[in-house]
């Protein structure tokens, strides 16, 4: 908001329903696309930066092309999931992040148990002190985000 942008906080459907476990990706993505389309109807022609924290960051990455995003902001992007019951690791989620075709910023805690993604062309990664919650690094998260937004959405 301080950068002159309109901001909307969207709660994922499973959270609205009071569940802790997320729905499957197709359901999350469909709900997100519907919400973004409704929000865009109120602001036609305005550049769209999508983003989210953790699972929401994954949704933003997967749907950025479908919603016509100009950029993607990922807070605490989970590179892996929790280990399976048998102790085996879950597959890397890096392909979701690599699939983003617009500028992206990932802000990740240096002690995030789900890993830290590598920088890549078009993707900045800022590592701040903290874990997956990023609670203790709110100032650093805000500063990194503001700097990136000035570059990606300079009219703001």
């Amino acid at each position: 908001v301080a950068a002159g942008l309109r901001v909307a906080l969207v709660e994922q459907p499973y959270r609205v329903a009071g569940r802790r476990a997320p729905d499957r990706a197709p359901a999350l993505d469909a709900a997100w696309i519907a919400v973004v389309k409704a929000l865009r109807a109120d602001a036609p022609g305005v550049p769209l930066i999508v983003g989210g924290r953790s699972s929401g960051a994954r949704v933003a990455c997967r749907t950025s092309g479908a919603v016509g995003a100009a950029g993607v902001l990922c807070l605490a992007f989970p590179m892996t999931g929790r280990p399976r019951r048998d102790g085996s690791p879950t597959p890397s989620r890096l392909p979701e992040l690599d699939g983003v075709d617009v500028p992206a910023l990932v802000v990740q805690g240096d002690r995030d148990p789900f890993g830290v993604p590598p920088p890549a062309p078009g993707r900045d990664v800022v590592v701040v002190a903290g874990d997956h919650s990023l609670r203790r690094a709110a100032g650093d998260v805000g500063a990194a985000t503001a700097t990136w937004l000035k570059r990606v959405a300079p009219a703001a």
Side-chain angles (χ1 to χ4, degrees), residues 66-132:
V67 299
V72 179
L73 172 61
C74 299
L75 304 177
F77 184 91
M79 288 289 293
T80 64
R82 297 191 189 285
R84 295 184 175 120
R85 288 185 181 156
D86 66 4
S88 64
T90 56
S92 171
R93 295 167 175 161
L94 187 57
E96 292 175 344
L97 197 52
D98 285 343
V100 173
D101 291 330
V102 293
L105 171 65
V106 179
V107 182
Q108 204 84 0
D110 63 351
R111 293 183 317 279
D112 192 322
F114 301 111
V116 177
R123 177 173 67 228
D124 296 323
V125 176
V126 175
V127 179
V128 297
D131 57 17
H132 192 67

